[in-house]
Amino acid sequence: MNQASPPRMVPMGAPAPPAQTGATKLQRLVQWATGPFWVVPATWCTVAVVAGVLLPAVESDATGSWILFDAGPESARSVLSTIAGAMISVTGLVFSITIVVLQLASSQFTPRVVGSFLTQRIPQHTLGVFTASFLYSLMLLRAVETDPDSPQAQVPQISISIALVLVLAAVLMFLAFIHHITRSISVGVVIRRIGDDCRDLLTSGRTGADHLLHEAPDLPATRRQRVVVAPRSGYLDLVDRERLCRLGSSHSARIEILHPLGTFVPEGSPLALVHEGDDTSPSADWPDLVCSGLELTLMRSMRQDLSLGFRRLVDIAERALSPGVNDPSTAVEVIDQLHDVLRRLAAMRGAYPVTSDEEGIPRVVTRDHSFEDYLDQAIDEIAHYGRDDLQIPHRLDMLLHDLASAAVPERAIAIRAKHESLTRER
């Protein structure tokens, strides 16, 4: 418990940060369950094993000719063995290609884009279809009776026909996989995809801006304050403002997050500060309550962290401008995407990072990156490493001139100051 602090004002940050509200708790659970690379292939495998066990058991005595398969037990076992052997071989090929692509992406672009490759669905479904075809064929092999004198000697023709359909689907998925991988390692596609992720976050921020304040809030002093420390080390990856706002309202308190998104917080260091009201229960378990609305992760993601998108783009530009690569045209493509995102930021009305409850009382205060922070992150390093290049200084000048013409007045001042600073350093 500390002494009361005087009222203070929070600075106006960048446009409204992406909202991750309590209504999306189910979405957070689904994302946690479907996010890892192995989930989709494991789902395919599970369905294949279950189908391989149940379909032959429920398949009735089938007579007549089937479109895809109509042969005896020996031919059925031969076909299934061939499918199983071929599928497991191609599965190894698909896995090898995926690993090579990840290595190329890490070395050619930046290690921070590897996560975006792992979340793409086409490689996941391709691997899933191949492994599912292999397991399904193995399950069917046990259902084919080769003894002609056995009373159960029959061939599950419908089930084997489904195996052939899976093979056809696997071939089509392999073609789609090759096309997808070829496009995925294109630098233009990678840069564009990161830019799209940034624009999606800005759109999410606009749709969730109604819960933030657009007028300077007055944060009154409180008599009691409690510090919440990080229960484990990790990056602050998500702030559920609506959940924290409900907690603050129900306990008559104000919760202040001490770090912006993307910050690494060591275990035991201050994570949040709770300003308790006079009628706040002293027995409230604030560490558990506050941490229920925050997520500390081992790796940063772009669920809410716009600065990670800037970091990825700038890393690609820096690597392109390095003497070993010497590819300024790629750096210009990065600047083009940064230009588009910064222009949207510059034209958007800023919001104070304060969330109020239904009665208009401030309940959550966050530390958000300002427009100046994004501008520095996008410009400074590229300007430093591209200072002696013919394209980069000219392109940055064009970017800043255009931003100044499109920005709201308070941000136009910062843009002109940045332009003057770059001019002096040349």
Side-chain angles (χ1 to χ4, degrees):
M1 183 181 301
N2 300 327
Q3 294 181 350
S5 58
R8 67 181 185 84
M9 304 301 297
V10 293
M12 179 176 286
Q20 192 78 14
T21 65
T24 61
K25 186 176 181 180
L26 179 60
Q27 295 178 6
R28 291 167 57 183
L29 180 61
V30 171
Q31 187 175 32
W32 174 83
T34 61
F37 181 84
W38 56 267
V39 172
V40 171
T43 303
W44 274 98
C45 292
T46 303
V47 173
V49 170
V50 173
V53 172
L54 295 182
L55 285 180
V58 301
E59 185 175 336
S60 58
D61 294 337
T63 59
S65 248
W66 291 92
I67 297 176
L68 296 180
F69 187 82
D70 181 17
E74 291 295 338
S75 297
R77 293 185 67 87
S78 177
V79 168
L80 293 175
S81 299
T82 302
I83 292 175
M87 289 300 102
I88 197 62
S89 299
V90 181
T91 299
L93 175 62
V94 171
F95 182 77
S96 300
I97 294 175
T98 302
I99 296 300
V100 170
V101 168
L102 294 179
Q103 292 176 339
L104 286 174
S106 178
S107 60
Q108 183 178 355
F109 306 122
T110 169
R112 274 159 288 279
V113 303
V114 172
S116 62
F117 283 95
L118 293 176
T119 58
Q120 295 173 13
R121 293 304 184 189
I122 290 182
Q124 297 178 10
H125 284 290
T126 301
L127 198 59
V129 169
F130 277 104
T131 53
S133 301
F134 167 72
L135 292 175
Y136 181 73
S137 299
L138 286 184
M139 293 297 102
L140 288 186
L141 277 172
R142 56 185 288 277
V144 178
E145 177 60 56
T146 58
D147 185 2
D149 298 328
S150 172
Q152 298 179 350
Q154 68 174 26
V155 177
Q157 296 181 353
I158 298 177
S159 302
I160 297 177
S161 298
I162 294 176
L164 296 177
V165 172
L166 276 177
V167 172
L168 179 61
V171 172
L172 296 177
M173 287 299 300
F174 185 72
L175 296 177
F177 174 76
I178 295 299
H179 173 73
H180 176 78
I181 289 298
T182 303
R183 293 187 72 253
S184 294
I185 60 177
S186 170
V187 64
V189 173
V190 173
I191 294 172
R192 177 71 184 186
R193 184 167 60 244
I194 300 173
D196 289 340
D197 291 340
C198 293
R199 285 181 282 271
D200 290 342
L201 278 182
L202 291 182
T203 302
S204 174
R206 283 197 297 268
T207 57
D210 54 349
H211 68 291
L212 296 175
L213 300 181
H214 294 280
E215 296 182 357
D218 185 12
L219 305 180
T222 59
R223 295 183 179 181
R224 296 182 301 178
Q225 298 175 356
R226 292 192 183 185
V227 176
V228 176
V229 300
R232 61 184 180 277
S233 299
Y235 294 94
L236 182 59
D237 193 58
L238 182 141
V239 177
D240 191 336
R241 293 174 180 83
E242 184 172 317
R243 180 179 180 85
L244 293 175
C245 185
R246 290 199 305 267
L247 290 173
S249 180
S250 62
H251 291 83
S252 300
R254 185 174 72 247
I255 302 172
E256 182 176 354
I257 310 303
L258 301 178
H259 305 280
L261 287 164
T263 302
F264 180 80
V265 184
E267 181 179 350
S269 65
L271 177 62
L273 182 63
V274 179
H275 302 263
E276 297 181 324
D278 294 336
D279 53 348
T280 300
S281 172
S283 61
D285 188 5
W286 284 116
D288 287 343
L289 291 174
V290 172
C291 291
S292 67
L294 305 175
E295 284 192 20
L296 294 174
T297 59
L298 297 177
M299 297 176 58
R300 297 171 65 183
S301 73
M302 288 190 65
R303 287 186 292 175
Q304 289 185 329
D305 187 8
L306 180 61
S307 65
L308 178 59
F310 279 74
R311 182 72 269 161
R312 288 173 175 174
L313 288 171
V314 172
D315 282 352
I316 294 174
E318 289 180 359
R319 188 156 300 193
L321 292 172
S322 64
V325 178
N326 193 23
D327 183 15
S329 296
T330 294
V332 171
E333 288 188 51
V334 170
I335 295 175
D336 292 341
Q337 292 299 316
L338 291 171
H339 185 177
D340 182 82
V341 177
L342 285 172
R343 201 176 199 278
R344 296 167 188 252
L345 278 169
M348 293 171 64
R349 183 186 178 190
Y352 292 91
V354 178
T355 305
S356 59
D357 59 16
E358 296 179 354
E359 299 178 359
I361 301 175
R363 294 301 184 189
V364 180
V365 180
T366 57
R367 296 283 193 274
D368 294 339
H369 295 286
S370 66
F371 174 77
E372 289 77 8
D373 294 334
Y374 291 121
L375 188 64
D376 292 342
Q377 187 178 12
I379 300 297
D380 290 351
E381 296 180 30
I382 296 178
H384 173 75
Y385 291 107
R387 183 180 305 166
D388 298 327
D389 188 81
L390 294 178
Q391 299 184 59
I392 302 303
H394 175 66
R395 184 64 186 85
L396 290 178
D397 286 342
M398 292 176 56
L399 182 153
L400 292 172
H401 277 301
D402 182 66
L403 289 184
S405 64
V408 294
E410 62 270 18
R411 288 177 179 163
I413 297 174
I415 294 169
R416 294 189 185 97
K418 174 62 67 177
H419 194 192
E420 294 174 0
S421 174
L422 291 182
T423 303
R424 288 195 302 268
E425 292 176 1
R426 291 172 188 166

